[in-house]
């Protein structure tokens, strides 16, 4: 303690001298700062505050004339300023003491760096800050939280000074060359933050709790947006889970809500969403893009320009020959363009609305939704294929819901053969049929129940804009070729919806193939496939249980719905005979066999191995078998009723 006070007093004394004392001052200051980390927090703050006052000319005990003092201080900073930075930077992350005291040290350290920066020329400042940022190794931080926190604080502070250098540059040509390195640094940093989001941040999943990695991602991204914000103003003068899909669905399709209503009353979820850091960053980015007058269309036109040959560089490429900002040197990301389109649409559709209006554009120019689909559908599907990334899936489902609700078109078989522009995965183009396949995959594979529900809704909406032939083709593809058991179960529900919709048509001048014998001829042999292994393997039967429940209920529905007109020929004797032989007899035999088996198990058990509601218990399985029995009984009752009516005619 006494040593630190003595050195501070010596610093005050020498700083009152003239040019002769400058070297002595530097030597004393170097010595003081070299051991300052061992001081108490209060002494550290006093020392750094004193240096700030001296360099600011506010500490002048020798009454040196202002002009002379300014010359001495400028010379002092030029000689020792950037060496001083090396001593000061560690204090930006001071943790040596209580929280408030450490904040004071960090604040004064930042002020000292600011003062040093102000004295340098913008060229010198640019060079020195660029050199320090080039030493930042984000890769070393990915699995070290404490190291990453310190690196983030230091890099943000230095990055601010780099921004100051650019701000002081008034020469457009020099600015254009100076901006290259910051852009490279931003790309490199954003690639690191992307990995942080995927590995550590709570933003990647609504079930995760907020953590320090969130703070790192938010703070570093904000510093990058600060630079872009300055750049956007400069350029403008001289001429980058939010629950988006859920917000859209809850507002415009309230009848489809599957959550408890009170959880989302009074738009509470929307208010919370506006407060989320990731939402704030996304909307800030969109505002900057709007300020520049840049649209997703502009970016996409550049990316798809056939005259530009894009050089796909790695984010760490430091080729100094690439010293200009040009699309071929810094290729635009298709995922980034898709995100700009999605967030701009969200801003227009929900954020600027009072949540009591219909979803319409603020612009008086009508939106051409068909053109939007042609341009962006491939990019949106590319995001949706990254099914493990909830942020991508959420954004994509929102955009697809929005487009599907507003587009007015009739998809035919010829339309399904047309190609749309990608990229989608490794495919540069893809047929429209693949749209249905990718959405059905999302409805099957997403771990998020909300996303599965919304993807299922999208499938229904896609079918709604198809004519009968196209719908029939897509439904057959789904039933025959879909590899996902959960989607096969859902596919029966989709088919039932289509059949019911066609039965309810008031225009009988144009009968649908979904209410004709084509339905039975094409789908029955696919849906109603009895499996002899059901009787032999308990596991095989229970794996197929959900599908068989849906299949039986669909058959029962069709018998009831088409009882009077028999448009589908479901009541024809040959079709009933086929059903009994190929399906009903097998499923009845299976149910009887396993019912007897579980009864015997219960009779032979001296003690209960399972709770009554345990899915593995014989009692629970018998309850599920009763569900199938009841459905079969209803089918038989419908048949008996129909036979009675036929005999009475």
């Amino acid at each position: 303690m006494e040593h630190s006070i003595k050195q501070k007093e010596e610093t005050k004394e020498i700083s009152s001298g003239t040019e002769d004392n400058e070297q002595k001052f530097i030597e004393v200051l170097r010595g003081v700062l070299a051991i300052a980390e061992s001081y108490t927090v209060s002494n550290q703050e006093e020392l750094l505050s004193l240096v700030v006052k001296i360099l600011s000319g506010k500490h002048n005990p020798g009454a040196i004339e202002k002009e002379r003092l300014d010359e001495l201080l400028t010379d002092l900073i030029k000689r020792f300023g950037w060496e001083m930075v090396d001593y000061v930077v560690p204090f930006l992350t001071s943790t040596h003491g209580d929280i408030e005291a450490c904040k004071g040290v960090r604040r004064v350290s930042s002020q000292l760096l600011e003062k040093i920066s102000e004295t340098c020329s913008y060229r010198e400042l640019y060079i020195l800050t660029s050199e320090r940022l080039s030493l930042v190794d984000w890769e070393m931080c990915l699995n070290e939280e404490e190291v990453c926190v310190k690196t983030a604080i230091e890099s943000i502070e230095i990055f601010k000074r780099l921004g100051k250098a650019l701000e002081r540059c008034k020469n457009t040509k020099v600015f254009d060359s100076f901006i290259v390195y910051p852009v490279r640094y931003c790309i490199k940093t954003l690639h690191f933050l992307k990995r942080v989001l995927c590995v550590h941040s709570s933003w990647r999943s609504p079930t995760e709790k907020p953590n320090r990695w969130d703070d790192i991602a938010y703070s570093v991204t904000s510093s990058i947006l600060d630079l872009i914000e300055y750049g956007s103003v400069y350029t403008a003068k001289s001429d980058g889970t939010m629950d988006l899909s859920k917000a859209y669905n809850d507002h415009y399709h309230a009848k489809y809500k599957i959550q408890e209503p009170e959880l989302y009353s009074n738009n509470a979820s929307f208010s919370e969403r506006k407060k989320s850091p990731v939402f704030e960053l996304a909307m800030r980015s969109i505002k900057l893009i709007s300020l520049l007058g840049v649209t997703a269309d502009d970016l996409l036109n550049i990316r798809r320009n056939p005259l530009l040959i894009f050089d796909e560089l790695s984010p760490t490429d430091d080729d100094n020959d690439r010293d200009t900002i040009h699309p071929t040197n810094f290729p635009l990301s298709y995922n980034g363009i898709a995100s700009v389109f999605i967030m701009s649409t969200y801003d227009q559709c929900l954020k600027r609305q009072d949540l009591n209006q219909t979803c319409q554009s603020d612009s008086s120019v009508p939106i051409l939704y068909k053109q939007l689909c042609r341009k962006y559908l491939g990019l949106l599907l590319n995001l949706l294929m990254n099914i493990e990334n909830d942020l991508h899936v959420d954004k994509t489902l929102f955009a697809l819901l929005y487009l599907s609700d507003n587009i007015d078109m009739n998809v035919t078989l010829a339309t399904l053969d047309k190609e749309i522009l990608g990229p989608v995965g490794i495919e540069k183009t893809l047929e429209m049929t693949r749209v249905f396949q990718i959405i059905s995959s999302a409805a099957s594979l997403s771990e998020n129940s909300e996303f599965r529900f919304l993807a299922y809704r999208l499938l229904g909406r896609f079918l709604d804009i198809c004519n009968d032939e196209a719908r029939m083709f897509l439904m057959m593809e789904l039933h025959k070729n879909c590899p996902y058991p959960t989607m096969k179960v859902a596919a029966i529900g989709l088919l039932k919806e289509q059949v019911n919709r066609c039965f309810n048509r008031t225009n009988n001048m144009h009968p649908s193939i979904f209410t004709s014998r084509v339905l039975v001829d094409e789908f029955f042999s696919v849906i109603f496939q009895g499996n002899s292994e059901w009787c032999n393997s308990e596991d095989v039967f229970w794996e197929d249980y959900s599908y068989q429940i849906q299949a039986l209920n669909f058959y029962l529905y069709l018998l009831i719905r088409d009882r009077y007109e028999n448009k589908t020929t479901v009541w024809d004797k040959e079709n009933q005979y086929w059903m009994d032989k190929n399906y009903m007899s097998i499923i009845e035999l299976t149910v009887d066999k396993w019912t007897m088996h579980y009864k015997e198990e219960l009779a032979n058990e001296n003690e209960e191995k399972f709770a009554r509601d345990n899915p593995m218990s014989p009692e629970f399985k018998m309850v599920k078998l009763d569900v199938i029995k009841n459905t079969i009984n209803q089918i038989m009752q419908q048949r008996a009723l129909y036979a009675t009516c036929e005999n009475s005619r």
Side-chain angles (χ1 to χ4, degrees), residues 111-129:
Q111 292 172 356
L112 183 51
L113 290 177
E114 179 69 20
K115 183 57 188 175
I116 295 171
S117 301
E118 289 174 356
T119 308
C120 299
S121 69
Y122 74 87
R123 287 179 181 272
E124 183 182 12
L125 182 59
Y126 173 83
I127 293 171
L128 293 171
T129 51

Side-chain angles (χ1 to χ4, degrees), residues 34-49:
I35 60 173
E37 287 191 69
S38 64
Y39 296 171
T40 63
V41 176
S42 59
N43 283 341
Q44 288 175 351
E45 185 174 359
E46 288 179 27
L47 172 63
L48 295 174
S49 297

Side-chain angles (χ1 to χ4, degrees), residues 36-312:
E37 287 191 69
S38 64
Y39 296 171
T40 63
V41 176
S42 59
N43 283 341
Q44 288 175 351
E45 185 174 359
E46 288 179 27
L47 172 63
L48 295 174
S49 297
L50 174 60
V51 175
V52 170
K53 289 180 180 179
I54 292 172
L55 297 182
S56 302
K58 296 178 180 178
H59 181 78
N60 185 16
I64 304 172
E65 293 181 3
K66 186 177 184 309
E67 291 184 4
R68 180 56 181 159
L69 181 61
D70 290 343
E71 290 177 7
L72 288 171
L73 294 176
T74 300
D75 186 56
L76 172 65
I77 292 176
K78 284 182 178 180
R79 292 176 58 185
F80 185 63
W82 284 97
E83 183 182 345
M84 195 186 310
V85 169
D86 292 328
Y87 292 113
V88 174
V89 164
F91 292 108
L92 293 171
T93 56
S94 175
T95 56
H96 183 55
D98 64 81
I99 295 177
E100 290 303 317
C102 288
K103 285 182 179 179
V105 173
R106 294 170 189 169
R107 182 182 62 255
V108 177
S109 301
S110 179
Q111 292 172 356
L112 183 51
L113 290 177
E114 179 69 20
K115 183 57 188 175
I116 295 171
S117 301
E118 289 174 356
T119 308
C120 299
S121 69
Y122 74 87
R123 287 179 181 272
E124 183 182 12
L125 182 59
Y126 173 83
I127 293 171
L128 293 171
T129 51
S130 298
E131 286 179 353
R132 289 197 70 89
L133 288 175
S134 68
L135 301 176
V136 174
D137 187 355
W138 289 114
E139 291 300 315
M140 296 292 292
C141 303
L142 186 60
N143 296 312
E144 299 289 341
E145 182 183 274
E146 195 62 36
V147 174
C148 194
V149 169
K150 291 185 176 182
T151 302
I153 293 172
E154 292 175 10
S155 62
I156 288 171
E157 198 67 39
I158 300 300
F159 195 62
K160 286 180 183 178
R161 311 307 160 210
L162 179 59
K164 291 290 185 180
L166 294 173
E167 186 176 349
R168 287 158 57 186
C169 175
K170 305 304 180 184
N171 186 306
T172 303
K173 290 184 178 180
V174 175
F175 181 88
D176 290 344
S177 64
F178 274 14
I179 197 65
V180 176
Y181 178 77
V183 169
R184 280 207 192 93
Y185 173 81
C186 291
I187 293 172
K188 179 180 177 180
T189 304
L190 289 171
H191 274 271
F192 166 75
L193 292 177
K194 180 179 178 180
R195 295 174 66 187
V196 168
L197 293 177
C198 294
V199 177
H200 298 298
S201 174
S202 70
W203 300 348
R204 71 188 190 275
S205 171
T207 60
E208 296 282 341
K209 294 182 179 180
N211 55 51
R212 296 177 78 193
W213 292 101
D214 298 345
D215 298 333
I216 293 168
Y218 178 81
S219 301
V220 175
T221 304
S222 295
S223 72
I224 291 174
L225 288 175
D226 289 340
L227 180 71
I228 298 173
E229 191 165 27
Y230 164 70
S232 66
V233 174
Y234 183 96
T235 307
K237 289 180 178 179
S238 60
D239 296 314
T241 335
M242 285 184 286
D243 288 339
L244 307 188
S245 55
K246 182 187 180 325
Y248 181 86
N249 187 65
D250 285 357
H251 181 59
Y252 294 110
H253 298 282
K255 66 179 180 179
Y256 291 113
K257 282 186 183 179
I258 59 176
Q259 294 82 8
E260 294 296 327
E262 61 267 21
L263 294 179
Y264 299 98
S265 60
N266 301 319
N267 298 320
S269 61
F270 183 74
S271 300
E272 290 302 315
R273 216 171 16 261
K274 290 193 290 184
K275 297 175 183 177
S276 73
V278 67
F279 186 84
E280 177 190 329
L281 292 174
M283 298 317 301
R284 185 181 172 193
S285 300
I286 292 303
K287 287 180 180 179
L288 289 174
I289 291 172
S290 177
L291 177 63
L292 284 168
V294 176
T295 65
D297 281 359
D298 297 330
L299 300 175
L300 188 57
N301 289 337
I302 293 173
R303 189 65 180 87
R304 286 178 172 165
N305 188 337
L307 300 178
L308 295 176
I309 301 175
F310 291 95
D311 185 6
E312 299 290 351

Side-chain angles (χ1 to χ4, degrees), residues 312-325:
E312 299 290 351
L313 300 177
S314 78
T316 57
D317 194 307
D318 291 324
D319 187 351
N320 292 326
D321 292 336
R322 304 180 185 277
D323 58 354
T324 58
I325 296 293

